[in-house]
């Protein structure tokens, strides 16, 4: 189970860092045409508005990728916890009542 958690963490980190890197490259590439258009005085203000909208859209898109990545990671953590709990309970059931069960007076006849 630790190996699965490790793989999950590696994938989560790769997606997080990958999305951040791609966003940075995307933002840099998208800025170039805006910079050229802003040299035209009549277009400076409208292009500035469009660039702000573009930057907001990029931040929202890549932010959502990171949010979904964290949500999936959290969901997988819960699922792995449930699998571990299930495996432990099956192992305990297969071994029979423990010595602490007997000390507490819990036996199969009392159930």
């Amino acid at each position: 189970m630790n190996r699965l958690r490790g793989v999950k963490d590696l994938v989560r980190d790769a997606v997080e860092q990958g999305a951040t890197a791609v966003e940075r490259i995307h933002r840099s590439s998208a800025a170039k045409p805006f910079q050229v258009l802003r040299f035209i005085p009549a277009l400076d203000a409208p292009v500035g508005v469009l660039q702000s909208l573009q930057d907001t859209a990029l931040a929202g898109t890549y932010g959502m990728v990171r949010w979904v990545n964290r949500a999936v990671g959290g969901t997988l953590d819960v699922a792995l916890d449930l699998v571990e709990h299930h495996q432990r309970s099956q192992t305990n059931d297969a071994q029979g009542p423990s010595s602490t069960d007997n000390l507490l007076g819990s036996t199969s006849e009392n159930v």
Side-chain angles (χ1 to χ4, degrees), residues 27-54:
R27 190 178 304 274
S28 174
S29 296
K32 288 176 176 47
F34 290 121
Q35 290 169 347
V36 171
L37 289 171
R38 291 184 91 169
F39 282 122
I40 303 169
L43 296 179
D44 185 40
V47 168
V49 171
L50 289 175
Q51 187 170 10
S52 288
L53 290 171
Q54 170 79 10

Side-chain angles (χ1 to χ4, degrees), residues 48-78:
V49 171
L50 289 175
Q51 187 170 10
S52 288
L53 290 171
Q54 170 79 10
D55 288 345
T56 301
L58 288 175
T61 300
Y62 290 104
M64 187 58 67
V65 168
R66 288 186 289 271
W67 182 85
V68 168
N69 184 48
R70 287 188 295 271
V72 169
T75 302
L76 286 173
D77 282 334
V78 170

